[in-house]
Amino acid sequence: MALGLAAGLWSGATISAIAGDEKSGDYEERGRASVDVEGNKRVDVATVRSYFHASPDGRFDEAARDAALKALLATHLFDQVTIERKGERLLVHLREAPVLDKVVFEGNKRIKDTELSPVVESKPRGSLQRATVQADVGHIIEAYRHLGRDDVSVKPVVIDRGNDRVDLVFEVTEGGKTPVRQINFVGNTAFGKRQLAAVIKTSASNMLSFLIGGDIYDPDIINSDREAIRTYYRSKGYADANVRSVNAEYDPATKGFAITFTIDEGPLYRFGDVAIDSHVDGVEGEKLRRLLLVKDGAQFDGSALDRSNDKLSAELAKLGYPFARALPRSVRDETGRRINVTFAIEQGPRAYIERIDIHGNTRTRGYVIRREFDIGEGDAFNKGLIERAERRLKALDYFKTVKISTRQGSSPDRVILDVELQEKDTGNFNISGGYSTTDGWLAEVRLGDRSFAGTGVALNSTFTYGQFARGFEVGATDPGFFGNRASAGIDLSAKETVASNYVSYGTLNYGATMLIGTPISDELGVQWRYSIARQEITLDPASLAAPPSIVVQSAAASGPQWVSAVGDTATYSTVDNPKAPTSGFTSQLRQDLAGLGGDVRFLRTTEDFKYYHQINDDVVSLARAQGGYITGFGGSQVPLIDNFFGGPSMVRGFAPYGFGPRDLTPGTTMDNVGGSLYWATTAELQSNIPGVPAEYGLKAVAFVDAGSVFRYNGPTTFPGSTQSLQLANSNVVRSSVGAGLSWASPFGALTVTYAAPLTKASYDVVQPLGFTASPF
């Protein structure tokens, strides 16, 4: 039989004390009182009596009876407790709460039972409590609100199984998603709506929302958006900026929310004098200045201020001053719009971390979270390092929200850290198809997880089948290798290409790469690798209208070659957003040395430098310079497949293999044979498109490219061949001007361009229309 909670068939616990006929004085004069119990079935009498504590004379005064009554109800074992006085006796009337056999969820499709069970406090083998059940209803509704479903309803139903045992069923009606229909910004003059919309995670619902996401109303994400806006303003010179309020208004007509962020921008500031003032014996402030990322006279940057403080805190701990702390103190010059900053190095209170308690990580392993802390249990309490850990946890992108708070430990010098987390899905699965000017028609499947089974290990796999290329890449990366001091990974790949309109030969390449990444600082990191690959040039004479170049024939005759190489990549980055940078620069220097075993020996060095500068709210400029050099050593020539080939990745408007040293021998396929040197430069403007919402990720680009590939150093003869090599190998500057569209799609960065070559060699192959696809 079902007992309806709302109908009142199941009453809550009753608190009452019934006085007897005797007067209080008579009761107290009759000696020691006894406690009798009735109505108990599962709880023994001794347990009930243990909650009554008599005064030294053996009597139970009113305070003692009240304390016992409250203690019995606090056990949650009883629906009703009544204490009645009968002469010298206390008679305790009990009605025990039913025992829960099962706690079941029905109608829940979007949230699994395993995810709802930790949310509710009602548990099997516990007692049924009305207040607890009603609170559990609220917990379930809140869980659905985080999925953007505000019209969810939950009905608790109790099913009587006899013998004071019941089942509790939460009947869930999920309803539909509650989208965000509109996002408004009020009070913003320094930055436009597009720019601010790109800062936050929430986006207005549109036709691409089913791919992009972000249009579901989630109060926690809205709160993080509020902080993201404040942080953005603070990093752009607006030290006093504040999001005064965020109003989420539900519109029944559109069945969605309109979100309004009200912003107080404040004035634009620059840094004034920046100094370090040490009040700790043995710590010289001037020696710490090299760690600062803030400069006198530069535009105020709150993020640089925070990172400087992090560096100082970490350095003080390394130097043996765990209780010392760096406190940035600012003095505003309102007239000159300057902020003078002094980092005060002071000795903090001697407190130690007693315990780190982590809550909300139902999936992510505890050690994945703890390794983001530079401190642990027993270490000196350092507020700067704790704030640094909070930023690191947010940067992992495993959690919707991260909050670290402190509370008093077991003694005045002990502190407990509470880490409150809310997890989000880290897996991804994409199927895409399209066309690439390099690989022709193609289909691609991507499957991965940024934190597999909550271990922090990133798994990724890509399977591609194209008109001219097919293959796969699978890999795993552990960012917490040796704690946070290094990352390690392994990649396995195989790729086959066939002859196309651009090249007369095919390639077959498969191998493995082992990687170790070592962070040097927040901006600089170095990746070390070892790779072993088997590469081969393949020819299909039946598909060729003319004989291939003798260079190609020589490479094919060499057969498969094993390339065993060690290398490193040093990356320095100061960009504000890795996916959509608007300011800062990146520099990537890559070197590979082949010859650690294998069949070939060469040294290859490349550099790619990009500088971003924001012109206004909608336009960002990009300046790019890249170059490279490869040379064989020990009597070994560089294999054809490892040379540099000019194409649209260097100068747009040219076909793949479109420029560079080329065999112009009449009657052959006149292949591009590659060079040992290349350089390229780009000047580009990236702009939002008027009338297109920023959340679509569409941008217009206009550019000028220039570059060249030259100096062929390979073989010029082929044994048994009478063919001569007529090589064009000069350093001709290729340049182009063009425009296009780029889309930051869920599948990666997609770009369509049209470029008109300005200068070229007579034998170059042009291709004005280009299409590229690359992962983020």
Side-chain angles (χ1 to χ4, degrees), residues 701-770:
V701 296
F703 55 85
V704 177
D705 294 341
S708 183
V709 179
F710 55 101
R711 194 175 294 175
Y712 170 76
N713 288 331
T716 57
T717 61
F718 179 56
S721 174
T722 60
Q723 186 185 115
S724 63
L725 181 66
Q726 298 183 24
L727 184 66
N729 192 24
S730 59
N731 183 13
V732 177
V733 176
R734 282 82 173 181
S735 62
S736 67
V737 60
L741 292 173
S742 68
W743 178 31
S745 78
F747 316 110
L750 307 180
T751 304
V752 178
T753 60
Y754 186 90
L758 299 177
T759 60
K760 66 182 184 67
S762 59
Y763 50 83
D764 290 341
V765 181
V766 300
Q767 187 178 67
L769 185 64

Side-chain angles (χ1 to χ4, degrees), residues 156-171:
V157 176
V158 177
I159 301 175
D160 191 356
R161 298 300 185 188
N163 296 322
D164 285 334
R165 309 189 76 85
V166 297
D167 291 344
L168 175 59
V169 180
F170 291 101
E171 295 180 349

Side-chain angles (χ1 to χ4, degrees), residues 363 397-398 400 423-428 449-450:
R363 184 173 181 270
D397 200 27
Y398 302 162
K400 285 184 179 180
E423 295 180 315
K424 65 180 180 181
D425 189 15
T426 58
N428 63 81
D449 196 322
R450 296 192 307 278

Side-chain angles (χ1 to χ4, degrees), residues 269-302:
Y269 286 96
R270 304 187 74 83
F271 283 114
D273 296 329
V274 178
I276 299 179
D277 184 16
S278 175
H279 300 278
V280 177
D281 292 340
V283 177
E284 297 183 30
E286 284 305 311
K287 291 185 177 180
L288 298 175
R289 284 191 67 89
R290 60 182 176 81
L291 300 172
L292 299 183
L293 301 175
V294 297
K295 306 295 181 184
D296 297 2
Q299 181 174 286
F300 180 83
D301 184 346

